[in-house]
Amino acid sequence: MGGLIHILLVLAVIVIAVDASDVSRFDLLLDELRGFFCPQTTAPMLFLANKQDLPNAWSPEMLTRRLDIPTLCAGRPWCVQGTCATTSRGLLDGFLWLKDVLLGAQRRRH
């Protein structure tokens, strides 16, 4: 897949993998994210800030500020997790966060 972002929708979860080293495309990414969001859903969002092994990769904190994630994700749980897909570093932490959010939501409904 050669797209800018890859989106995986599973039940009421949104996972977005971001190439954190491709600074030149952040403006386009932000435009795509703004067009993607639906304010009627409160689905948890997990952003995977990939390629953290590269020296020019933006940290999760820098991406959070640059993409204005708190504003984009207002009203829903969100997390920006640094990852390295080639070593799997950070992936488990991101999906454990998602599991905790989903289990917490499930407990609140019962």
Side-chain angles (χ1 to χ4, degrees):
M1 299 173 84
L4 178 60
I5 59 176
H6 303 287
I7 301 171
L8 171 65
L9 294 171
V10 180
L11 299 175
V13 174
I14 302 168
V15 178
I16 299 177
V18 178
D19 181 345
S21 70
D22 194 353
V23 177
S24 67
R25 296 180 82 177
F26 286 172
D27 287 335
L28 181 58
L29 172 62
L30 185 55
D31 288 343
E32 286 192 15
L33 287 172
R34 285 184 181 137
F36 170 77
F37 277 83
C38 176
Q40 291 81 11
T41 181
T42 57
M45 296 200 66
L46 173 60
F47 293 84
L48 301 175
N50 196 32
K51 299 191 180 179
Q52 291 297 305
D53 56 320
L54 299 181
N56 60 329
W58 282 37
S59 70
E61 294 79 14
M62 292 168 65
L63 275 173
T64 299
R65 284 192 304 274
R66 175 64 180 87
L67 299 176
D68 196 17
I69 300 297
T71 300
L72 280 174
C73 295
R76 73 175 77 220
W78 59 271
C79 174
V80 180
Q81 175 65 49
T83 62
C84 175
T86 58
T87 64
S88 301
R89 188 188 62 182
L91 290 171
L92 181 61
D93 291 333
F95 285 100
L96 286 174
W97 170 84
L98 198 52
K99 175 195 71 112
D100 290 344
V101 168
L102 291 173
L103 289 176
Q106 185 178 36
R107 280 193 288 270
R108 284 192 297 274
R109 282 194 293 262
H110 289 102

